[in-house]
Amino acid sequence: MVNKQYKSALSYELGELLKNTNRKVKLKKGLFLFQEGQPAKEMYILLSGKVQISKMNAEGKELTLRLCTHNDIVGELTLFTVDPQYLFNAKIVESGEAAAINIEDLERILFSNSQLAYEYMKWMNDHIRKTITKFRDLVLNGKKGALYSTLIRLCNSYGVLRGDGIYIDVSLTNQDLANYCGTARESVSRMLGELRDEGIISVERKKIVVHNLNYLKAEIDCENCPIEYCNIE
């Protein structure tokens, strides 16, 4: 793998949180763990499977924010609010299991456990910084920059280093990529075609191989942010 060490070391937080989970939830591919606007009663820790977090705008266009996997926390932005509602959609894209913890119980735990509250705040700070960098790329770099940034993040999250480049070991359709970029599928298809023609990328069974990562970085004036912030999760 190119780098799988970017994830926050949530050993202490997860251990404390998992001790207080109320139930286990089976995740079935194609269903939603929760949807935007629903009353928020629980936060989840993924034990297996994958969950895609997205936001829908007024016109019905979907923007995918992150792909959550093992040990990721989902539904964390509902804490300490009045009548909390989920802010995003959480669609299950790979079956698995999650541990659920009641939000009111979690708030009481954080009030009574100062070390956990401190570590959780640090995790949330990192999480927010990652989200800000993604929106920065989408807003400042245009459609092409958004796609290039997404490919770089996918390399950091799922890249396998090979002799001919970086193999992104996750299946993605052009529509999936468009949702990450907040743009139309047709635009993404055209830009991917241009990258293939120039030998920057190739596609193997719906999985992308990036042959020239430095080209993508140069095109968006990449700041080489730490990998813990520059990823798709």
Side-chain angles (χ1 to χ4, degrees):
M1 291 293 178
V2 172
N3 194 313
K4 277 292 185 179
Q5 303 304 316
Y6 64 84
K7 279 198 172 189
S8 300
L10 289 171
S11 55
Y12 173 78
E13 298 96 309
L14 285 174
E16 290 297 303
L17 292 175
L18 285 170
K19 283 192 297 186
N20 292 280
T21 53
N22 306 100
R23 64 190 183 100
K24 298 293 196 304
V25 180
K26 293 294 183 182
L27 306 179
K28 185 176 180 180
K29 181 179 178 179
L31 300 181
F32 286 89
L33 183 57
F34 54 80
Q35 290 183 274
E36 181 180 348
Q38 288 181 339
K41 299 182 183 298
E42 294 175 314
M43 191 185 76
Y44 302 91
I45 301 170
L46 294 190
L47 305 177
S48 60
K50 290 185 175 68
V51 173
Q52 180 179 279
I53 305 300
S54 65
K55 181 79 173 178
M56 197 77 71
N57 67 12
E59 288 74 39
K61 181 180 290 186
E62 185 178 19
L63 174 63
T64 300
L65 299 173
R66 60 187 174 121
L67 185 63
C68 301
T69 58
H70 175 63
N71 279 353
D72 280 333
I73 297 174
V74 182
E76 70 284 347
L77 297 180
T78 58
L79 293 176
F80 303 110
T81 58
V82 178
D83 297 325
Q85 296 181 342
Y86 291 115
L87 302 179
F88 306 111
N89 298 308
K91 185 176 182 180
I92 302 161
V93 295
E94 182 183 293
S95 297
E97 187 178 45
I101 181 169
N102 181 274
I103 287 175
E104 292 182 354
D105 290 344
L106 177 56
E107 290 174 349
R108 285 193 290 269
I109 293 167
L110 292 176
F111 271 123
S112 62
N113 186 330
S114 59
Q115 183 181 353
L116 176 60
Y118 174 70
E119 296 295 337
Y120 190 82
M121 286 173 62
K122 287 201 302 182
W123 178 84
M124 280 295 300
N125 181 63
D126 285 345
H127 179 59
I128 291 169
R129 288 184 66 179
K130 285 196 293 186
T131 302
I132 289 172
T133 61
K134 290 177 186 178
F135 280 116
R136 176 201 64 193
D137 292 343
L138 290 175
V139 172
L140 297 183
N141 294 319
K143 295 179 181 179
K144 181 178 288 188
L147 175 61
Y148 291 6
S149 170
T150 298
L151 291 174
I152 293 168
R153 292 173 185 277
L154 285 167
C155 284
N156 289 339
S157 294
Y158 297 103
V160 178
L161 191 59
R162 306 192 321 190
D164 61 344
I166 301 171
Y167 176 74
I168 299 176
D169 192 18
V170 61
S171 296
L172 293 167
T173 66
N174 288 359
Q175 185 60 61
D176 291 331
L177 286 171
N179 290 345
Y180 277 113
C181 300
T183 189
R185 178 182 58 81
E186 293 78 10
S187 297
V188 166
S189 298
R190 175 180 52 78
M191 291 186 287
L192 288 175
E194 292 172 353
L195 290 174
R196 282 197 301 268
D197 292 343
E198 296 171 12
I200 307 300
I201 69 166
S202 60
V203 179
E204 299 179 4
R205 297 180 181 179
K206 295 186 178 181
K207 294 184 179 180
I208 295 172
V209 182
V210 176
H211 302 293
N212 192 341
L213 184 63
N214 288 332
Y215 173 87
L216 299 178
K217 288 184 174 183
E219 286 292 299
I220 63 170
D221 295 322
C222 177
E223 299 176 359
N224 289 309
C225 298
I227 296 230
E228 57 264 28
Y229 301 132
C230 185
N231 59 71
I232 211 72
E233 301 181 351

